[in-house]
Amino acid sequence: MRIAQTERKTNETYIKLKINLDGSGNYKFDTEIPFFEHMLSHISKHSGIDIDLFLRGDIEIDCHHSVEDTAIVFGKLFYEALGDKKNIFRYGSFTLPMDETLTTVAIDLSGRFFFKYLGPDLSKMGRFGIYDSELTYEFLQKFAMHARINLHVIVHYGKNRHHIHESIFKALGKSIRIAIQSDHLGMPSTKGILE
Ligand SMILES: [Mn+2]
């Protein structure tokens, strides 16, 4: 089983996270940030990764530290749980329609960080409860950085800001599911290693 867990405490956040890449899309959250939980639930459900997250952060300031640190910890655990990446598909891409919104995500579990977002400005979509819309960009970038993956996100079009955000997290989940699935071709790189 590809499982990883950790506990991390800083002056800004306390995070306990456990993930299982070979799970069934079961999730348990205790974060005090409802919209963030809603988005993480889409990653879990559509990637099949079980996620158990306890988070306490300095949300009396804003949710920045909490979301960013969760992305860092999730990325690190994802990298750790993947192990040597032998016999996995490695690449994953999904174009996901959500009503009037269409979003494409493409990932490569390459071991090398790259992040590109193309689409409507996520920092100009206000707040969802206490969650600032600009945190979605932060989450994606920090997750990709610490998971050491190549992540491209394109929102082709869309009007409803809830749909735009949700389509990103769902497409990310589907892309992850494809990339981490079993294959039988050994190491999916002619280089012979994927760091
Ligand atoms: Mn929703």
Side-chain angles (χ1 to χ4, degrees), residues 35 38-39 42 98 162-163 166 170:
F35 186 79
H38 187 46
M39 294 300 110
H42 296 307
M98 185 160 177
H162 190 110
H163 292 163
E166 193 159 321
K170 283 178 167 173

Side-chain angles (χ1 to χ4, degrees), residues 39 69 97 122 178:
M39 294 300 110
D69 288 4
L122 296 172
I178 294 165

